[in-house]
């Protein structure tokens, strides 16, 4: 299995532009997570999907952020408009929800720089 | 806010020595997990300990869990330079449809000198 695949690996964009991050979870996994990592705030959970349905989006910082999971093999995280403070590494992770005691598998991340 | 808090924030040791990292958390948990992150890479799962377990081993890793103190420790024995990385604890406090929702600590940066 190729693991969780994220694209792009690096993104540099100008303030105000729309940014779309993509994630392909591990086949068969039914839970998907988007995290953001910064030096100041560490790893923050942004949103969590289970069986393609958003379960908890309380970590989404503001309305500029949105996430979708149209099917079991694809998810997007969109920032519109982007701001310099959105610069961070964004990770997607997936897991097989077997009830309790589930480990997460992470992608390599997308390093976003907003200038 | 972060559920887990790691201690120390940074640890520097010589190859062959043991490394111990601690994690404290605030709410009741289903399980606690430890992850490793090499610079510029994603997180890799190391070990999971359930709330009803007190100790678990995996190779050179030993994890303990004290639910009464809401704390866990990760011990890496006979460390190697290749163990240099950041180590994170993560707690799973979810229920219902929220199992698997992890909250991460700030991490411990481990440097092992050859």
């Amino acid at each position: 299995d190729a693991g969780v695949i994220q694209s792009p690996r690096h993104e540099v964009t100008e303030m105000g532009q729309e940014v779309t991050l993509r994630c392909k979870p591990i086949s068969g996994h039914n839970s998907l997570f988007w995290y953001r990592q910064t030096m100041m705030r560490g790893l923050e959970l942004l949103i969590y999907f289970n069986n393609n349905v958003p379960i908890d989006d309380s970590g989404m910082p503001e309305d500029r952020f949105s996430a979708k999971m149209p099917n079991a093999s694809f998810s997007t995280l969109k920032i519109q408009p982007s701001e310099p403070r959105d610069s961070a590494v964004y990770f997607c992770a997936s897991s097989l929800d077997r009830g309790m005691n589930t480990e997460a598998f992470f992608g390599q991340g997308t390093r976003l720089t907003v200038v | 806010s972060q559920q887990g808090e790691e201690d120390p924030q940074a640890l520097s040791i010589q190859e062959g020595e043991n490394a111990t990292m601690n994690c404290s958390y605030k709410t009741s948990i289903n399980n606690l997990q430890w992850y490793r992150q090499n610079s510029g890479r994603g997180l890799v799962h190391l070990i999971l300990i359930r709330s009803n377990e007190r100790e678990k081993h995996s190779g050179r890793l030993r994890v303990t869990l004290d639910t009464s103190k809401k704390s866990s420790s990760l011990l890496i024995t006979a460390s190697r330079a290749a163990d240099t990385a950041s180590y994170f604890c993560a707690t799973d406090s979810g229920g219902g449809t929220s199992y698997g929702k992890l909250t991460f600590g700030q991490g411990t940066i481990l440097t092992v000198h050859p």
Side-chain angles (χ1 to χ4, degrees), chain A residues 9 33 35 37 40-45 48 50 55-56 91 97 99-104 106-108 111, chain B residues 2 30-31 33 35 37 40-43 45 48 50-51 88 92 97-102 104-106:
Chain A
R9 289 294 309 277
F33 310 83
Y35 288 90
Q37 186 177 36
M40 290 296 294
R41 300 174 66 89
L43 266 162
E44 302 173 278
L45 177 64
Y48 160 47
N50 185 262
I55 301 299
D56 185 347
F91 287 102
D97 182 5
M100 295 177 66
N101 307 312
T102 301
E103 65 182 90
F106 281 75
Q108 293 299 311
R111 182 174 295 277
Chain B
Q2 298 294 323
N30 300 314
N31 63 70
Q33 304 179 31
Y35 288 78
Q37 183 180 34
R41 308 295 294 273
L43 280 77
H45 180 266
L48 180 154
R50 302 175 183 182
S51 60
F88 295 86
D92 179 352
T97 57
S98 294
Y99 285 126
K101 176 185 170 184
L102 297 174
F104 284 83
Q106 294 289 344

Side-chain angles (χ1 to χ4, degrees), chain B residues 8 34 37 43 45 50 53 58-59 63-64 73 83 86-87 91 103 112:
Chain B
W34 286 89
Q37 183 180 34
L43 280 77
H45 180 266
R50 302 175 183 182
E53 296 177 315
S58 177
V63 170
T64 61
S73 67
D83 294 329
S86 294
Y87 292 82
T91 51
T103 305
V112 182

Side-chain angles (χ1 to χ4, degrees), chain A:
Chain A
D1 197 319
V4 176
I5 300 173
Q6 292 187 245
S7 64
R9 289 294 309 277
H10 303 273
E11 177 80 33
V12 180
T13 190
E14 291 185 344
M15 182 173 62
Q17 296 297 307
E18 177 180 297
V19 175
T20 299
L21 311 180
R22 296 172 176 80
C23 175
K24 176 177 168 40
I26 292 173
S27 177
H29 282 190
N30 58 354
S31 293
L32 184 139
F33 310 83
W34 282 101
Y35 288 90
R36 177 171 69 176
Q37 186 177 36
T38 62
M39 288 295 292
M40 290 296 294
R41 300 174 66 89
L43 266 162
E44 302 173 278
L45 177 64
L46 300 179
I47 187 168
Y48 160 47
F49 292 87
N50 185 262
N51 292 322
N52 311 338
V53 176
I55 301 299
D56 185 347
D57 65 355
S58 59
M60 296 285 264
E62 9 186 317
D63 291 345
R64 299 184 296 107
F65 286 69
S66 63
K68 294 182 180 179
M69 192 164 186
N71 56 62
S73 59
F74 184 66
S75 177
T76 60
L77 177 68
K78 185 177 294 185
I79 308 173
Q80 166 64 20
S82 58
E83 296 182 2
R85 61 191 167 122
D86 301 331
S87 297
V89 181
Y90 290 80
F91 287 102
C92 175
S94 70
S95 67
L96 176 60
D97 182 5
R98 301 165 297 199
M100 295 177 66
N101 307 312
T102 301
E103 65 182 90
F105 293 81
F106 281 75
Q108 293 299 311
T110 295
R111 182 174 295 277
L112 173 65
T113 304
V114 183
V115 299

